[in-house]
Amino acid sequence: MTHAATANTSAQTPLRIAVLVSGSGSNLQVLIDAMQAGALPIEIIGVISNREDAYAITRAKDAGIEVAVLSHVESGKRMGIKTFEAHANEQLVAWQPDLIVLAGFMRVLSGSFIDNAPAPMINLHPSLLPVYKGLDTHQRVLQAGDRHHGCSIHKVTAELDAGQVLTQAVLSVDINDTAERLQSRVQKLEHKLLPWTILLLAKNVLSLEVDSTSSQATNYLPTLPLQLLITS
Ligand code: GRF
């Protein structure tokens, strides 16, 4: 298995990234724009979508990026998770990424797929993990009357939304917020958090090998997650 933190030691070598998507792909677009502008030392080598109607597919194709559509509903028949994972693994092995990014990818992946993937995986989640794993995070924040909300990027492990949190961006919930408004505010944070996190990984400032309990992290590095103060 190649690792982002170890495979990309040269500053000149772009980090090879595969992105998994299910929807609009606005986060993918941010990475495409940053790559094309030379602002991020990455090469997006391929995109996998589990939905054939995802606008992310258009964004990737417009940028000349290879796309694999592994639709979860093919000819009216749902593709089982095992079949999806077999095809996705084959595709990822062919692409040989250094890092796999789940950006709005809405299918739950099995532990064996994650463990056998050819690169480590990170996921973007719209809550301040470890609170509000799973769906409907904005609604749950409002129902609980929380004062703060935001998004997290974490390592993907077999347990849903439970891997080591790497980075977070935080906002204050205000009196006018509805679930829709919070979604839009959090998404603006995601668009900044994702490229910053990938830059830190590409430059080996953040490591997917180090967790917050290791002596290296506790003695020399700030405790994870890194919280980025992003003001709008
Ligand atoms: C993001 O807001 C993410 O938090 C959620 O799905 C959304 C994906 O947005 N899980 P996009 O497809 O990147 O536009």
Side-chain angles (χ1 to χ4, degrees):
M1 184 186 281
T2 0
H3 288 282
T6 51
N8 194 54
T9 44
S10 155
Q12 273 74 47
T13 312
L15 193 69
R16 292 166 59 80
I17 292 179
V19 186
L20 271 60
V21 295
S22 302
S24 145
S26 63
N27 284 286
L28 170 68
Q29 189 67 55
V30 166
L31 296 183
I32 291 171
D33 292 346
M35 173 181 73
Q36 290 178 340
L40 271 184
I42 61 168
E43 182 188 355
I44 303 172
I45 52 173
V47 168
I48 295 177
S49 174
N50 71 317
R51 295 187 58 111
E52 58 202 39
D53 59 352
Y55 186 61
I57 297 168
T58 305
R59 297 183 193 268
K61 286 186 174 165
D62 284 353
I65 296 167
E66 194 180 335
V67 182
V69 181
L70 304 175
S71 173
H72 69 310
V73 184
E74 212 166 23
S75 333
K77 206 169 132 235
R78 194 175 159 82
M79 190 195 278
I81 188 69
K82 281 211 163 72
T83 312
F84 170 84
E85 289 186 345
H87 288 309
N89 181 269
E90 204 175 305
Q91 186 61 78
L92 290 169
V93 167
W95 283 336
Q96 285 298 310
D98 298 317
L99 179 69
I100 300 163
V101 178
L102 310 188
F105 181 71
M106 300 306 284
R107 250 193 131 157
V108 177
L109 297 167
S110 72
S112 95
F113 175 81
I114 294 160
D115 291 344
N116 291 308
M121 265 178 236
I122 59 171
N123 180 47
L124 176 60
H125 182 76
S127 82
L128 296 174
L129 291 171
V131 292
Y132 308 124
K133 295 170 180 155
L135 298 173
D136 302 324
T137 58
H138 312 300
Q139 194 60 48
R140 287 153 72 198
V141 162
L142 288 174
Q143 269 159 7
D146 291 354
R147 294 176 58 196
H148 295 104
H149 185 31
C151 49
S152 306
I153 293 178
H154 65 93
K155 263 171 82 165
V156 177
T157 57
E159 201 184 333
L160 186 69
D161 299 330
Q164 170 75 57
V165 180
L166 302 168
T167 56
Q168 294 183 319
V170 183
L171 58 71
S172 297
V173 178
D174 78 46
I175 196 129
N176 299 317
D177 277 323
T178 58
E180 293 69 34
R181 188 167 185 266
L182 271 184
Q183 181 186 9
S184 149
R185 292 182 65 206
V186 168
Q187 204 169 44
K188 287 194 180 95
L189 291 183
E190 293 174 354
H191 293 165
K192 295 180 180 174
L193 189 67
L194 185 60
W196 270 112
T197 304
I198 289 178
L199 182 64
L200 294 175
L201 286 169
K203 297 277 186 193
N204 290 329
V205 174
L206 260 186
S207 169
L208 290 167
E209 308 301 314
V210 177
D211 68 44
S212 58
T213 56
S214 78
S215 57
Q216 190 187 352
T218 45
N219 291 342
Y220 301 109
L221 298 171
T223 309
L224 295 176
L226 292 180
Q227 292 205 328
L228 275 72
L229 176 63
I230 298 172
T231 51
S232 47

